[in-house]
Structures are given as C-alpha cells and as structure tokens.
Amino acid sequence: MVKLILFIAFLFSIMANAQTRSNMLIRISEIEVYPEYLEEYLQFAKNVGATSVKEEEGVVCIYPMVQQRDSCQIRILEIYRDMDAYKSHIQTPHFQTYKQGTLHMVKKLDLVDMYPLNPYRMNEIFLKLKNE
Amino acid sequence: MVKLILFIAFLFSIMANAQTRSNMLIRISEIEVYPEYLEEYLQFAKNVGATSVKEEEGVVCIYPMVQQRDSCQIRILEIYRDMDAYKSHIQTPHFQTYKQGTLHMVKKLDLVDMYPLNPYRMNEIFLKLKNE
C-alpha cells in the first residue's frame, strides 16, 4: 500500500514537474500511410514541417521520421511552446493544406501526447545538433 | 507497373539521401516497463541520457518521454552521430549500469530505427529549442 501511494505521488510529481516547469506540448504522431500515396504524403509532411518551424514562433520542433522496417509508418516528434501555439498552428493555411490534402492518404493516425522526462535538459540536449 | 518502379526508386532515393547526406543513427526506442519498477526505471533512464549527452561527443540526443495515457510506455528519441558513436556508447560504464540495472524492469523493448525526412533541416529545427 505504501508502495502504491509512493508510486502515485511519483506520477503526480512527474506531471506537476512537466506542467509547472514547462507548458510545452510534446507529441509523437504515429501515422500509417497507404503505400500508393507514400511519396506524395512525405512531400506534404516535409513542407508543412519546414514551413511551420520557419514561420511560427511557437512551433519549436516538427521532426518527421520514416520507419526503416516499414516505410509506410511515419512518426513525427512535435513540440509546441504551449497549447496556444498548437491551437494557432492548426489554423494556419499551411497546416490546413497539409491536413485536407492528405486526409485520403492516411490509413491510421494516433496522436500520442508525452511528458518529457527532463524538461529542462532539452536545450542542452538539442544544442549539440547545432554543430552536427 | 510504372508507378511501382517510381515508388521503389523513390524509396531508394530516401535511403540514399539519408545515408549519403547523413550517417546519423536515428532511433525511437519503445519500452514498456513493469509498473512496480517505473519510478526506479525512469531514474535510470534520466541518468543515462543526461550523462551520455554530456560526456559523449557522438551522442547527439537522448530524449526520453513518458506517454500521458500510459505511464509505463516510454519512448526515447536517440540520435547518434554515426554507427561508431553508437557502438562506443553501448560500451560505456554508464550505459552498462543502465542496461544491467534495468533488465528485470523492462517488459517489452523494441528498437525502431528511422530515416529522418529532412536530415539537413535538423539544426534549424532544433535550434529553436535553445531559446525556449
């Protein structure tokens, strides 16, 4: 029982930590695309990611990846500064072009929201990418 | 048939692109942890991620996340400069401490290798994190 209470307290501490120390919205979008549309879909994804990061201050990261073992499985790491940034993002013309243009290409879509384990280490971690 | 050939050519172009323009190893590790070990596992994961990024030049990013809907589901975005950096990483004492120390905590482990869609955009994308 003590273990359970400690465990629940720990979970709350993770959540509180993620929420109070960072309002960022972090998501892994899991997308399965119909094979016949893969090329076209990836072009859309590439465009919307690049435009969003470039033009929207609150879009911190949109990083699309393709599974090596199944190229119809796309994963996108998305980081928004906060919920407002996300809400504003999904109303932009470039997001709407992507969304409406790819609806028939997507077989499965699962938006999986995440807590970062080290919210404050993010800068430090990704800063290394600058030099790659 | 023409469509199929074009599609295969396209896949090869993605792979060639990812391989020639970047030797980075990009992976999403999908980990399920037994609930009774979650707290302890996360502490191990936090430590090994932070130490690796800090001490190993070739470890570009280790970014652990916990699913909001199921906190036993962990996802770690891992980026290594190249295969040598990865091989060297898994031989470090801090990785071995994590690996051996958490073996009994892990219910499922799937190492999912990925191609980045925009290998050269990474710097630009993650650079924004610096200011968050």
Coordinates of all heavy atoms in Angstrom, one line a residue, chain A residues 29-115:
Chain A
S29 N 3.3 11.9 -33.2 CA 2.2 11.5 -34.1 C 2.6 10.2 -34.8 O 3.7 10.1 -35.4 CB 1.9 12.6 -35.1 OG 1.4 13.7 -34.4
E30 N 1.8 9.2 -34.6 CA 2.0 7.9 -35.3 C 1.1 7.8 -36.5 O -0.2 7.8 -36.3 CB 1.8 6.7 -34.3 CG 2.7 6.9 -33.0 CD 2.6 5.6 -32.1 OE1 1.8 4.7 -32.4 OE2 3.3 5.6 -31.1
I31 N 1.6 7.7 -37.6 CA 0.8 7.8 -38.9 C 1.1 6.6 -39.8 O 2.3 6.3 -40.0 CB 1.1 9.1 -39.6 CG1 0.8 10.3 -38.7 CG2 0.4 9.2 -40.9 CD1 1.5 11.6 -39.0
E32 N 0.1 6.0 -40.2 CA 0.3 4.9 -41.3 C -0.3 5.4 -42.5 O -1.5 5.9 -42.6 CB -0.4 3.6 -40.9 CG 0.0 2.5 -41.9 CD -0.7 1.2 -41.5 OE1 -1.2 1.0 -40.4 OE2 -0.6 0.3 -42.4
V33 N 0.5 5.4 -43.6 CA 0.0 5.9 -44.9 C -0.2 4.8 -45.9 O 0.5 3.8 -45.8 CB 1.1 6.9 -45.4 CG1 0.8 7.4 -46.8 CG2 1.4 8.0 -44.5
Y34 N -1.2 4.9 -46.7 CA -1.4 3.9 -47.8 C -0.2 4.0 -48.7 O 0.2 5.0 -49.2 CB -2.7 4.2 -48.6 CG -4.0 4.0 -47.8 CD1 -4.7 5.1 -47.4 CD2 -4.4 2.7 -47.5 CE1 -5.9 4.9 -46.6 CE2 -5.6 2.5 -46.8 CZ -6.3 3.6 -46.4 OH -7.5 3.4 -45.6
P35 N 0.4 2.8 -49.1 CA 1.6 2.7 -49.8 C 1.5 3.5 -51.1 O 2.5 4.2 -51.5 CB 1.8 1.2 -50.1 CG 0.8 0.5 -49.5 CD -0.1 1.4 -48.7
E36 N 0.4 3.5 -51.8 CA 0.3 4.2 -53.1 C 0.4 5.7 -52.9 O 0.6 6.4 -53.9 CB -1.0 3.8 -53.8 CG -2.3 4.1 -53.1 CD -2.8 3.0 -52.3 OE1 -1.9 2.3 -51.7 OE2 -4.0 2.9 -52.1
Y37 N 0.2 6.2 -51.7 CA 0.3 7.7 -51.5 C 1.6 8.1 -50.8 O 1.7 9.3 -50.4 CB -0.9 8.2 -50.7 CG -2.2 8.1 -51.5 CD1 -3.2 7.3 -51.0 CD2 -2.4 8.8 -52.7 CE1 -4.4 7.2 -51.7 CE2 -3.6 8.7 -53.4 CZ -4.6 7.9 -52.8 OH -5.8 7.8 -53.5
L38 N 2.5 7.2 -50.5 CA 3.6 7.5 -49.6 C 4.4 8.6 -50.1 O 4.7 9.6 -49.3 CB 4.5 6.2 -49.4 CG 5.7 6.4 -48.5 CD1 5.2 6.9 -47.1 CD2 6.5 5.2 -48.4
E39 N 4.8 8.6 -51.3 CA 5.7 9.6 -51.9 C 5.1 11.0 -51.7 O 5.7 12.0 -51.2 CB 6.0 9.3 -53.3 CG 6.9 10.4 -54.0 CD 7.3 10.0 -55.4 OE1 6.8 9.0 -55.9 OE2 8.0 10.8 -56.0
E40 N 3.8 11.0 -52.1 CA 3.1 12.3 -52.1 C 2.9 12.8 -50.6 O 3.1 14.0 -50.3 CB 1.7 12.1 -52.7 CG 1.1 13.3 -53.4 CD -0.3 13.0 -54.0 OE1 -0.6 11.8 -54.3 OE2 -1.1 13.9 -54.1
Y41 N 2.6 11.8 -49.7 CA 2.4 12.2 -48.3 C 3.6 12.8 -47.7 O 3.6 13.8 -47.0 CB 1.9 11.0 -47.5 CG 1.9 11.3 -46.0 CD1 0.8 12.0 -45.5 CD2 3.0 11.1 -45.2 CE1 0.8 12.4 -44.2 CE2 3.0 11.5 -43.9 CZ 1.9 12.2 -43.4 OH 1.9 12.6 -42.1
L42 N 4.8 12.1 -48.0 CA 6.0 12.6 -47.4 C 6.4 14.0 -47.9 O 6.9 14.8 -47.1 CB 7.2 11.6 -47.7 CG 7.1 10.2 -47.1 CD1 8.2 9.4 -47.5 CD2 7.0 10.3 -45.6
Q43 N 6.0 14.3 -49.1 CA 6.3 15.7 -49.6 C 5.4 16.7 -48.8 O 5.9 17.7 -48.4 CB 5.9 15.7 -51.1 CG 6.6 16.8 -51.9 CD 8.1 16.8 -51.7 OE1 8.8 15.8 -51.9 NE2 8.7 18.0 -51.2
F44 N 4.2 16.3 -48.6 CA 3.3 17.2 -47.8 C 3.9 17.4 -46.4 O 3.9 18.5 -45.9 CB 1.9 16.6 -47.7 CG 0.9 17.0 -48.7 CD1 0.6 16.2 -49.8 CD2 0.2 18.2 -48.6 CE1 -0.3 16.6 -50.8 CE2 -0.7 18.6 -49.5 CZ -1.0 17.8 -50.6
A45 N 4.3 16.3 -45.8 CA 4.8 16.3 -44.4 C 6.1 17.2 -44.3 O 6.2 18.0 -43.4 CB 5.1 14.9 -43.9
K46 N 6.9 17.0 -45.3 CA 8.2 17.7 -45.3 C 7.9 19.2 -45.4 O 8.4 20.0 -44.7 CB 8.9 17.3 -46.6 CG 10.4 17.5 -46.5 CD 11.0 16.7 -47.7 CE 12.5 17.1 -47.8 NZ 13.2 16.2 -48.8
N47 N 7.0 19.6 -46.3 CA 6.6 21.0 -46.5 C 6.0 21.6 -45.2 O 6.4 22.7 -44.8 CB 5.6 21.2 -47.7 CG 6.3 20.9 -49.0 OD1 7.5 20.8 -49.1 ND2 5.5 20.7 -50.0
V48 N 5.0 20.9 -44.7 CA 4.3 21.6 -43.5 C 5.2 21.7 -42.3 O 5.2 22.7 -41.6 CB 3.0 20.8 -43.2 CG1 3.3 19.5 -42.5 CG2 2.1 21.7 -42.3
G49 N 6.1 20.7 -42.1 CA 7.1 20.8 -41.0 C 8.0 21.9 -41.2 O 8.1 22.8 -40.3
A50 N 8.6 22.0 -42.4 CA 9.6 23.1 -42.6 C 8.9 24.5 -42.5 O 9.5 25.4 -41.8 CB 10.2 22.9 -44.0
T51 N 7.8 24.6 -43.1 CA 7.1 26.0 -43.1 C 6.7 26.3 -41.6 O 6.9 27.5 -41.2 CB 5.8 25.9 -44.0 OG1 6.2 25.5 -45.3 CG2 5.2 27.3 -44.1
S52 N 6.2 25.4 -40.9 CA 5.7 25.7 -39.6 C 6.8 26.1 -38.6 O 6.7 27.1 -37.9 CB 5.0 24.4 -38.9 OG 4.0 24.0 -39.8
V53 N 7.9 25.4 -38.7 CA 9.1 25.7 -37.8 C 9.6 27.1 -38.2 O 10.0 27.9 -37.4 CB 10.2 24.6 -37.9 CG1 11.4 25.1 -37.1 CG2 9.6 23.3 -37.3
K54 N 9.6 27.4 -39.5 CA 10.2 28.6 -40.0 C 9.3 29.8 -39.7 O 9.8 30.9 -39.3 CB 10.4 28.5 -41.5 CG 11.3 29.5 -42.1 CD 11.6 29.2 -43.6 CE 12.2 30.4 -44.3 NZ 12.2 30.2 -45.7
E55 N 8.0 29.6 -39.9 CA 7.1 30.8 -39.8 C 6.4 31.0 -38.5 O 6.0 32.1 -38.2 CB 6.1 30.7 -40.9 CG 6.7 30.8 -42.3 CD 5.7 30.9 -43.4 OE1 4.5 30.9 -43.1 OE2 6.1 30.9 -44.6
E56 N 6.3 29.9 -37.7 CA 5.6 30.0 -36.4 C 6.5 30.0 -35.2 O 7.2 28.9 -35.0 CB 4.6 28.9 -36.3 CG 3.5 28.9 -37.4 CD 2.6 27.7 -37.2 OE1 1.9 27.6 -36.2 OE2 2.6 26.9 -38.1
E57 N 6.6 31.0 -34.5 CA 7.5 31.1 -33.4 C 7.2 30.0 -32.3 O 8.1 29.5 -31.7 CB 7.3 32.5 -32.7 CG 8.6 33.1 -32.2 CD 8.3 34.3 -31.3 OE1 7.4 35.0 -31.6 OE2 9.0 34.4 -30.3
G58 N 5.9 29.7 -32.1 CA 5.6 28.8 -31.1 C 5.7 27.3 -31.5 O 5.5 26.4 -30.7
V59 N 6.1 27.0 -32.8 CA 6.3 25.7 -33.2 C 7.8 25.4 -33.0 O 8.7 25.9 -33.7 CB 5.9 25.4 -34.6 CG1 6.3 24.0 -35.1 CG2 4.5 25.7 -34.8
V60 N 8.2 24.7 -31.9 CA 9.6 24.5 -31.5 C 10.2 23.5 -32.4 O 11.3 23.6 -32.8 CB 9.6 24.1 -30.1 CG1 11.1 23.9 -29.7 CG2 9.0 25.2 -29.2
C61 N 9.5 22.4 -32.7 CA 10.1 21.3 -33.4 C 9.0 20.5 -34.1 O 8.0 20.1 -33.5 CB 10.9 20.4 -32.4 SG 11.1 18.7 -33.0
I62 N 9.2 20.2 -35.4 CA 8.4 19.2 -36.1 C 9.4 18.4 -36.8 O 10.1 18.8 -37.8 CB 7.3 19.8 -37.1 CG1 6.3 20.6 -36.3 CG2 6.7 18.7 -37.9 CD1 5.1 21.1 -37.1
Y63 N 9.6 17.1 -36.3 CA 10.7 16.3 -36.9 C 10.1 15.0 -37.4 O 9.9 14.0 -36.6 CB 11.7 16.1 -35.7 CG 12.9 15.4 -36.2 CD1 13.7 16.0 -37.2 CD2 13.4 14.2 -35.6 CE1 14.8 15.3 -37.6 CE2 14.6 13.6 -36.0 CZ 15.3 14.2 -37.0 OH 16.4 13.6 -37.5
P64 N 9.8 14.9 -38.7 CA 9.2 13.7 -39.2 C 10.3 12.6 -39.5 O 11.4 12.9 -40.0 CB 8.6 14.2 -40.5 CG 9.0 15.6 -40.7 CD 10.0 16.0 -39.7
M65 N 9.9 11.4 -39.2 CA 10.8 10.2 -39.5 C 10.0 9.1 -40.1 O 8.8 9.0 -39.9 CB 11.4 9.7 -38.1 CG 12.3 10.7 -37.4 SD 12.5 10.2 -35.7 CE 11.1 11.1 -34.9
V66 N 10.7 8.3 -40.9 CA 10.1 7.1 -41.6 C 10.7 5.9 -41.0 O 12.0 5.8 -40.9 CB 10.4 7.2 -43.1 CG1 9.8 6.0 -43.8 CG2 10.0 8.5 -43.7
Q67 N 9.9 4.9 -40.6 CA 10.5 3.7 -40.1 C 11.3 2.9 -41.1 O 10.8 2.8 -42.3 CB 9.4 2.7 -39.6 CG 8.9 3.0 -38.2 CD 8.0 1.8 -37.7 OE1 7.8 0.8 -38.4 NE2 7.4 2.0 -36.5
Q68 N 12.5 2.5 -40.8 CA 13.3 1.7 -41.8 C 12.7 0.4 -42.1 O 12.7 0.0 -43.2 CB 14.7 1.5 -41.2 CG 15.5 2.8 -41.1 CD 17.0 2.6 -40.8 OE1 17.5 1.5 -41.0 NE2 17.7 3.6 -40.4
R69 N 12.0 -0.2 -41.2 CA 11.5 -1.6 -41.4 C 10.1 -1.5 -42.1 O 9.6 -2.5 -42.6 CB 11.3 -2.4 -40.1 CG 10.3 -1.9 -39.2 CD 10.4 -2.6 -37.9 NE 9.5 -2.1 -36.9 CZ 9.6 -2.3 -35.6 NH1 10.6 -3.1 -35.1 NH2 8.7 -1.8 -34.7
D70 N 9.4 -0.4 -42.1 CA 8.1 -0.3 -42.8 C 7.9 1.2 -43.1 O 7.5 2.0 -42.3 CB 7.0 -0.7 -41.9 CG 5.6 -0.6 -42.5 OD1 5.5 0.0 -43.6 OD2 4.6 -1.0 -41.8
S71 N 8.2 1.5 -44.4 CA 8.3 2.9 -44.8 C 6.9 3.6 -44.8 O 6.8 4.8 -45.0 CB 9.0 3.1 -46.1 OG 8.4 2.2 -47.1
C72 N 5.8 2.8 -44.6 CA 4.5 3.4 -44.5 C 4.2 3.9 -43.1 O 3.2 4.5 -42.9 CB 3.4 2.5 -45.0 SG 3.5 2.2 -46.7
Q73 N 5.1 3.6 -42.2 CA 4.9 4.0 -40.8 C 5.8 5.3 -40.6 O 7.0 5.3 -40.6 CB 5.4 2.9 -39.8 CG 4.6 1.7 -39.9 CD 3.2 1.9 -39.3 OE1 2.9 2.8 -38.6 NE2 2.3 0.9 -39.6
I74 N 5.0 6.4 -40.4 CA 5.7 7.7 -40.1 C 5.5 8.0 -38.7 O 4.5 7.8 -38.1 CB 5.0 8.8 -41.0 CG1 4.6 8.3 -42.4 CG2 5.8 10.1 -41.0 CD1 5.8 8.0 -43.2
R75 N 6.6 8.6 -38.1 CA 6.5 9.1 -36.7 C 7.0 10.6 -36.8 O 8.0 10.9 -37.4 CB 7.4 8.3 -35.8 CG 7.0 6.9 -35.7 CD 5.7 6.7 -35.0 NE 5.3 5.3 -34.9 CZ 4.6 4.6 -35.8 NH1 4.2 5.2 -36.9 NH2 4.3 3.3 -35.6
I76 N 6.2 11.5 -36.2 CA 6.6 12.9 -36.1 C 6.7 13.3 -34.7 O 5.7 13.3 -33.9 CB 5.6 13.8 -36.9 CG1 5.3 13.2 -38.3 CG2 6.1 15.2 -37.0 CD1 4.3 14.0 -39.1
L77 N 7.9 13.8 -34.3 CA 8.1 14.4 -33.0 C 7.7 15.8 -33.1 O 8.3 16.6 -33.9 CB 9.5 14.2 -32.5 CG 9.8 15.0 -31.1 CD1 9.0 14.4 -30.0 CD2 11.3 15.0 -30.8
E78 N 6.7 16.2 -32.4 CA 6.2 17.6 -32.4 C 6.3 18.3 -31.1 O 5.9 17.7 -30.1 CB 4.7 17.6 -32.9 CG 4.5 17.0 -34.2 CD 3.0 16.9 -34.5 OE1 2.2 17.8 -34.2 OE2 2.6 15.8 -35.1
I79 N 6.9 19.4 -31.0 CA 7.0 20.2 -29.8 C 6.5 21.6 -30.0 O 7.0 22.3 -30.9 CB 8.4 20.2 -29.2 CG1 9.0 18.8 -29.1 CG2 8.5 20.9 -27.9 CD1 10.4 18.7 -28.6
Y80 N 5.4 22.0 -29.3 CA 4.9 23.3 -29.4 C 5.1 24.0 -28.0 O 5.1 23.4 -27.0 CB 3.4 23.3 -29.6 CG 3.0 22.5 -30.8 CD1 2.8 21.1 -30.8 CD2 3.1 23.1 -32.1 CE1 2.5 20.4 -31.9 CE2 2.8 22.3 -33.2 CZ 2.5 21.0 -33.1 OH 2.3 20.2 -34.3
R81 N 5.3 25.3 -28.1 CA 5.7 26.1 -26.9 C 4.6 26.0 -25.8 O 4.9 25.8 -24.6 CB 5.9 27.6 -27.3 CG 6.5 28.3 -26.1 CD 6.4 29.8 -26.2 NE 7.3 30.2 -27.2 CZ 7.3 31.4 -27.9 NH1 6.3 32.2 -27.6 NH2 8.2 31.7 -28.8
D82 N 3.4 26.0 -26.2 CA 2.2 25.8 -25.3 C 1.0 25.5 -26.1 O 1.0 25.4 -27.3 CB 2.1 27.0 -24.4 CG 2.0 28.3 -25.2 OD1 1.5 28.3 -26.4 OD2 2.4 29.4 -24.7
M83 N -0.1 25.3 -25.4 CA -1.3 24.9 -26.1 C -1.8 26.0 -27.1 O -2.4 25.7 -28.1 CB -2.4 24.6 -25.0 CG -3.7 24.1 -25.5 SD -3.6 22.7 -26.6 CE -3.4 21.3 -25.5
D84 N -1.6 27.3 -26.7 CA -2.0 28.3 -27.6 C -1.2 28.2 -29.0 O -1.8 28.5 -30.0 CB -1.7 29.7 -27.0 CG -2.8 30.0 -26.0 OD1 -3.8 29.3 -25.9 OD2 -2.5 31.0 -25.2
A85 N 0.1 27.9 -28.9 CA 0.9 27.8 -30.1 C 0.3 26.7 -31.0 O 0.3 26.8 -32.2 CB 2.3 27.5 -29.7
Y86 N -0.1 25.6 -30.3 CA -0.6 24.5 -31.1 C -1.9 24.8 -31.7 O -2.2 24.6 -32.9 CB -0.8 23.3 -30.1 CG -1.5 22.1 -30.8 CD1 -0.9 21.4 -31.8 CD2 -2.8 21.8 -30.5 CE1 -1.6 20.4 -32.5 CE2 -3.5 20.7 -31.1 CZ -2.8 20.1 -32.1 OH -3.5 19.0 -32.8
K87 N -2.8 25.5 -30.9 CA -4.1 25.9 -31.5 C -3.9 26.8 -32.7 O -4.7 26.8 -33.7 CB -5.0 26.6 -30.4 CG -5.6 25.6 -29.4 CD -6.4 26.3 -28.4 CE -7.0 25.4 -27.3 NZ -7.5 26.1 -26.2
S88 N -3.0 27.7 -32.6 CA -2.8 28.7 -33.7 C -2.2 27.9 -34.9 O -2.5 28.2 -36.0 CB -1.8 29.8 -33.2 OG -0.9 30.2 -34.1
H89 N -1.3 26.9 -34.6 CA -0.7 26.2 -35.7 C -1.7 25.5 -36.6 O -1.7 25.5 -37.8 CB 0.3 25.1 -35.1 CG 0.7 24.1 -36.0 ND1 1.5 24.3 -37.1 CD2 0.4 22.7 -36.0 CE1 1.7 23.2 -37.8 NE2 1.1 22.2 -37.1
I90 N -2.7 24.8 -35.9 CA -3.7 24.0 -36.7 C -4.7 24.9 -37.5 O -5.5 24.4 -38.2 CB -4.4 23.0 -35.8 CG1 -5.1 23.6 -34.7 CG2 -3.4 21.9 -35.3 CD1 -6.0 22.6 -33.8
Q91 N -4.6 26.2 -37.2 CA -5.4 27.1 -38.0 C -4.7 27.7 -39.2 O -5.3 28.5 -40.0 CB -6.0 28.2 -37.1 CG -7.2 27.6 -36.3 CD -7.6 28.5 -35.2 OE1 -7.0 29.5 -34.9 NE2 -8.7 28.2 -34.5
T92 N -3.4 27.5 -39.3 CA -2.6 28.2 -40.4 C -3.0 27.6 -41.7 O -3.4 26.4 -41.8 CB -1.1 28.0 -40.2 OG1 -0.8 26.6 -40.1 CG2 -0.6 28.7 -38.9
P93 N -2.9 28.4 -42.8 CA -3.2 27.9 -44.1 C -2.2 26.7 -44.5 O -2.7 25.7 -45.1 CB -2.9 29.0 -45.0 CG -2.9 30.3 -44.2 CD -2.5 29.8 -42.8
H94 N -0.9 26.7 -44.1 CA -0.1 25.6 -44.4 C -0.5 24.3 -43.7 O -0.4 23.2 -44.3 CB 1.4 25.9 -44.3 CG 1.8 26.5 -42.9 ND1 1.8 27.8 -42.7 CD2 2.1 25.9 -41.7 CE1 2.2 28.0 -41.4 NE2 2.3 26.9 -40.8
F95 N -0.9 24.4 -42.5 CA -1.4 23.2 -41.8 C -2.7 22.7 -42.5 O -2.8 21.5 -42.7 CB -1.6 23.4 -40.3 CG -2.1 22.1 -39.7 CD1 -1.3 21.0 -39.4 CD2 -3.5 21.9 -39.4 CE1 -1.7 19.9 -38.8 CE2 -4.0 20.7 -38.9 CZ -3.1 19.7 -38.6
Q96 N -3.6 23.6 -42.8 CA -4.9 23.2 -43.4 C -4.6 22.5 -44.8 O -5.3 21.6 -45.1 CB -5.8 24.4 -43.4 CG -6.5 24.7 -42.1 CD -7.3 23.5 -41.5 OE1 -7.9 22.7 -42.2 NE2 -7.2 23.4 -40.2
T97 N -3.7 23.1 -45.5 CA -3.3 22.5 -46.8 C -2.9 21.1 -46.6 O -3.3 20.1 -47.4 CB -2.2 23.3 -47.5 OG1 -2.7 24.7 -47.6 CG2 -1.8 22.8 -48.9
Y98 N -2.0 20.9 -45.7 CA -1.5 19.5 -45.4 C -2.6 18.6 -44.9 O -2.8 17.5 -45.5 CB -0.4 19.6 -44.3 CG -0.2 18.3 -43.5 CD1 0.6 17.3 -44.0 CD2 -0.8 18.1 -42.2 CE1 0.8 16.1 -43.3 CE2 -0.6 17.0 -41.5 CZ 0.2 16.0 -42.1 OH 0.4 14.8 -41.4
K99 N -3.4 19.1 -44.0 CA -4.5 18.2 -43.4 C -5.5 17.8 -44.4 O -5.8 16.6 -44.6 CB -5.1 19.0 -42.2 CG -6.1 18.2 -41.4 CD -5.3 17.2 -40.6 CE -6.3 16.2 -39.9 NZ -5.6 15.1 -39.2
Q100 N -6.0 18.8 -45.1 CA -7.0 18.5 -46.1 C -6.4 17.7 -47.3 O -7.1 16.8 -47.9 CB -7.7 19.8 -46.6 CG -8.4 20.6 -45.5 CD -9.4 19.8 -44.7 OE1 -10.1 18.9 -45.2 NE2 -9.4 20.0 -43.4
G101 N -5.2 18.0 -47.7 CA -4.6 17.4 -48.8 C -4.2 16.0 -48.6 O -4.0 15.2 -49.5
T102 N -4.1 15.5 -47.3 CA -3.6 14.2 -47.0 C -4.6 13.3 -46.4 O -4.3 12.1 -46.1 CB -2.3 14.2 -46.1 OG1 -2.7 14.9 -44.9 CG2 -1.2 15.0 -46.7
L103 N -5.8 13.8 -46.2 CA -6.8 13.0 -45.5 C -7.0 11.6 -46.1 O -7.1 10.6 -45.3 CB -8.2 13.8 -45.5 CG -8.5 14.7 -44.3 CD1 -9.8 15.4 -44.5 CD2 -8.4 14.0 -43.0
H104 N -7.1 11.5 -47.4 CA -7.3 10.3 -48.1 C -6.1 9.4 -48.1 O -6.1 8.2 -48.5 CB -7.8 10.5 -49.5 CG -6.8 11.3 -50.4 ND1 -6.5 12.6 -50.1 CD2 -6.1 10.9 -51.4 CE1 -5.6 13.0 -51.0 NE2 -5.4 11.9 -51.8
M105 N -4.9 9.9 -47.7 CA -3.7 9.1 -47.8 C -3.4 8.4 -46.5 O -2.6 7.5 -46.5 CB -2.5 10.1 -48.1 CG -2.6 10.9 -49.3 SD -1.2 12.1 -49.4 CE -1.8 13.1 -50.8
V106 N -4.1 8.8 -45.5 CA -3.7 8.3 -44.1 C -4.7 7.2 -43.7 O -5.9 7.3 -43.7 CB -3.9 9.5 -43.1 CG1 -3.7 9.0 -41.7 CG2 -2.8 10.6 -43.4
K107 N -4.0 6.0 -43.4 CA -4.8 4.8 -43.1 C -5.1 4.8 -41.6 O -6.1 4.4 -41.1 CB -3.9 3.6 -43.4 CG -4.7 2.3 -43.3 CD -3.7 1.2 -43.9 CE -4.3 -0.2 -43.6 NZ -3.4 -1.2 -44.0
K108 N -4.1 5.3 -40.8 CA -4.2 5.3 -39.3 C -3.5 6.5 -38.8 O -2.4 6.9 -39.2 CB -3.6 4.1 -38.7 CG -4.6 3.0 -38.2 CD -3.9 1.7 -37.8 CE -3.5 1.7 -36.3 NZ -3.0 0.3 -36.0
L109 N -4.1 7.1 -37.7 CA -3.5 8.3 -37.1 C -3.7 8.2 -35.6 O -4.8 8.0 -35.2 CB -4.1 9.6 -37.7 CG -3.8 10.9 -37.0 CD1 -2.3 11.2 -37.2 CD2 -4.7 12.0 -37.5
D110 N -2.6 8.3 -34.9 CA -2.7 8.3 -33.4 C -1.8 9.4 -32.9 O -0.6 9.4 -33.1 CB -2.2 6.9 -32.9 CG -2.6 6.7 -31.5 OD1 -3.2 7.5 -30.9 OD2 -2.2 5.6 -30.9
L111 N -2.4 10.3 -32.2 CA -1.7 11.5 -31.7 C -1.4 11.2 -30.2 O -2.2 11.2 -29.3 CB -2.5 12.8 -31.7 CG -3.1 13.1 -33.1 CD1 -4.0 14.3 -33.1 CD2 -2.0 13.2 -34.2
V112 N -0.1 10.8 -29.9 CA 0.3 10.3 -28.6 C 1.0 11.4 -27.8 O 2.2 11.7 -28.1 CB 1.2 9.1 -28.7 CG1 1.4 8.4 -27.4 CG2 0.5 8.1 -29.7
D113 N 0.3 12.0 -26.9 CA 0.9 13.1 -26.1 C 1.8 12.5 -25.0 O 1.6 11.5 -24.4 CB -0.2 13.9 -25.4 CG -0.9 14.8 -26.4 OD1 -0.2 15.1 -27.5 OD2 -2.0 15.2 -26.2
M114 N 2.9 13.2 -24.8 CA 4.0 12.7 -23.9 C 4.4 13.7 -22.9 O 4.2 14.9 -23.0 CB 5.3 12.5 -24.8 CG 5.1 11.7 -26.1 SD 4.5 10.0 -26.0 CE 6.0 9.2 -25.3
Y115 N 5.0 13.2 -21.8 CA 5.7 14.1 -20.8 C 7.2 13.9 -21.1 O 7.6 12.8 -21.2 CB 5.4 13.7 -19.4 CG 4.0 13.8 -18.9 CD1 3.3 12.7 -18.5 CD2 3.4 15.1 -18.9 CE1 2.0 12.8 -18.1 CE2 2.1 15.2 -18.4 CZ 1.4 14.1 -18.0 OH 0.1 14.2 -17.6

